[in-house]
Amino acid sequence: STPFCTPLSLTLSLVLFLNTTASTVVPLAIAPSPRVSSLATCVGKLVLGTYIAKGAKWMHYTLLQSFVCVVLVLWPHDIIYAVHEACAAVAWPAVWWRLRDQSSGLWMACMSMRLGSTVGSLLFYSCNWPVTSWLWGAAYVLLWSAALLYRFVPHQSTNYSKNILRQFTSPTLWILACAHAGSCWIRAAERSGIVLRYIQGLGLSDIYAQALGTGTACGLLVGGRWFWTGRPVRVVQYMYALAVLSCFLLSWTKTPWYFSVLALGGLGAGTAVPFYTIPSLSKSVYVAYLDGLGFGLASYVQADWYLVGLALIVCGVIMVEYVDHWERSQKLKDEERHGVLETSVL
């Protein structure tokens, strides 16, 4: 593995933190439709992610994000917000391209993205500022992100195949996208305000909506390191089991409020590694396409915790099988590297 901290990984993690912080407060301030948010992310990942793979600069989309925040001050419409969300969707694919061969760098970038989302939502729930203040602040932070990209991150042309769209004929992409849709719905629920409305329905303060984000950060911090240093299959099994149990607990209408808050934290922790870490394992499937299809499928899932829990069971089975296959392939590569010849029967 490459060193944990390199100048490139530190810079990209800082830019990703700033970008995610700004991109988190915008949907909370605008309160868009959950389906619009998921579909905009889907389009951004699939369309703009393709241009990122072919050499487009992330800085240009960050500048466009900043400009759209200013437009939202004048015209807060779902269509304008969709443009912002589509541009924000290319942040992770752009970082993945530069750090895809550095497992430590990717983990640090994941933590920066998660921390940015947590800080953004915590600021929004803690400060009672007008909507225009949040939008102007997001535009300013995004400008700083673009300046850091321009100054410290030199553009690097990609050597990706020109036939990138052929990935849509890959069964692996569609199977993983269906399994990825479960954790994508949880992420969309956090960003679009579904969790906030659920918490307010219990008569609680907005600050309790941070339980999902805090749980996700803890799950990524603990489970992410355990995933890379321990037994990946066992980690994924435990996390999906925690997420499913949390969904069933949230679906029970008589659940006390403190159990609901704990269940939201468990739901975030249970979907942290499946959402942030597993999609970056495959080098043959472009992570933007996997996320895009996952959010597209998640946009058709209704806000029913019981149905989401049932869907997560299916998603968990597929993801566990995929991680098991990936772990076996990694062991075979290590054995071949050390000159050990074995016969593997699938």
Side-chain angles (χ1 to χ4, degrees):
S1 178
T2 54
F4 183 78
C5 292
T6 62
L8 178 63
S9 62
L10 286 174
T11 304
L12 288 176
S13 297
L14 175 60
V15 174
L16 193 61
F17 170 78
L18 296 175
N19 190 288
T20 309
T21 303
S23 301
T24 299
V25 299
V26 173
L28 293 176
I30 297 296
S33 168
R35 180 163 292 183
V36 169
S37 180
S38 296
L39 289 178
T41 303
C42 172
V43 173
K45 297 280 188 181
L46 297 180
V47 179
L48 302 184
T50 301
Y51 287 104
I52 288 291
K54 292 187 175 182
K57 293 183 178 181
W58 179 22
M59 180 187 66
H60 294 163
Y61 297 113
T62 305
L63 289 174
L64 181 58
Q65 270 186 272
S66 180
F67 174 74
V68 171
C69 287
V70 177
V71 176
L72 283 172
V73 175
L74 305 175
W75 188 26
H77 195 275
D78 277 356
I79 297 178
I80 306 300
Y81 166 74
V83 177
H84 171 274
E85 194 70 13
C87 293
V90 305
W92 177 238
V95 174
W96 180 84
W97 268 116
R98 302 299 294 267
L99 302 177
R100 62 186 184 277
D101 296 326
Q102 305 179 23
S103 59
S104 298
L106 279 177
W107 182 83
M108 185 169 60
C110 286
M111 283 302 303
S112 299
M113 183 166 57
R114 182 61 255 173
L115 183 61
S117 179
T118 303
V119 170
S121 56
L122 185 60
L123 285 174
F124 180 83
Y125 295 140
S126 302
C127 304
N128 189 20
W129 295 344
V131 174
T132 55
S133 298
W134 290 112
L135 295 177
W136 281 113
Y140 181 74
V141 172
L142 289 169
L143 279 178
W144 270 102
S145 300
L148 289 174
L149 288 174
Y150 176 78
R151 179 64 179 84
F152 297 106
V153 182
H155 179 65
Q156 182 183 26
S157 59
T158 62
N159 56 357
Y160 208 72
S161 172
K162 294 182 179 179
N163 299 321
I164 186 174
L165 296 179
R166 288 186 178 179
Q167 287 203 10
F168 286 100
T169 62
S170 170
T172 304
L173 174 64
W174 289 95
I175 293 174
L176 287 180
C178 293
H180 192 45
S183 54
C184 285
W185 189 91
I186 304 301
R187 175 65 176 145
E190 179 188 6
R191 286 178 60 86
S192 61
I194 293 177
V195 175
L196 175 61
R197 290 191 290 272
Y198 174 81
I199 287 292
Q200 289 175 340
L202 298 176
L204 301 177
S205 173
D206 297 350
I207 197 68
Y208 284 99
Q210 189 61 26
L212 180 61
T214 304
T216 307
C218 295
L220 188 59
L221 180 63
V222 178
R225 297 303 297 175
W226 188 20
F227 181 89
W228 290 109
T229 60
R231 302 179 62 181
V233 176
R234 188 62 57 85
V235 173
V236 178
Q237 288 175 341
Y238 287 159
M239 286 199 155
Y240 268 107
L242 177 61
V244 171
L245 290 176
S246 299
C247 284
F248 289 159
L249 185 60
L250 290 170
S251 66
W252 187 33
T253 57
K254 297 182 180 180
T255 304
W257 67 267
Y258 44 86
F259 279 156
S260 297
V261 174
L262 290 176
L264 284 172
L267 183 61
T271 55
V273 170
F275 181 80
Y276 288 99
T277 303
I278 296 179
S280 62
L281 296 179
S282 177
K283 300 300 183 290
S284 61
V285 176
Y286 185 23
V287 68
Y289 290 164
L290 189 58
D291 286 345
L293 293 176
F295 275 102
L297 295 172
S299 65
Y300 293 96
V301 179
Q302 300 298 321
D304 188 308
W305 294 114
Y306 181 75
L307 295 179
V308 173
L310 293 178
L312 283 177
I313 294 177
V314 180
C315 296
V317 171
I318 299 175
M319 281 299 190
V320 167
E321 291 297 326
Y322 173 72
V323 173
D324 180 64
H325 174 73
W326 172 81
E327 186 181 17
R328 291 174 183 271
S329 65
Q330 293 298 113
K331 289 181 179 179
L332 288 176
K333 290 179 182 179
D334 293 339
E335 291 169 356
E336 292 175 359
R337 189 178 299 114
H338 290 87
V340 179
L341 298 179
E342 290 187 1
T343 302
S344 176
V345 180
L346 178 59

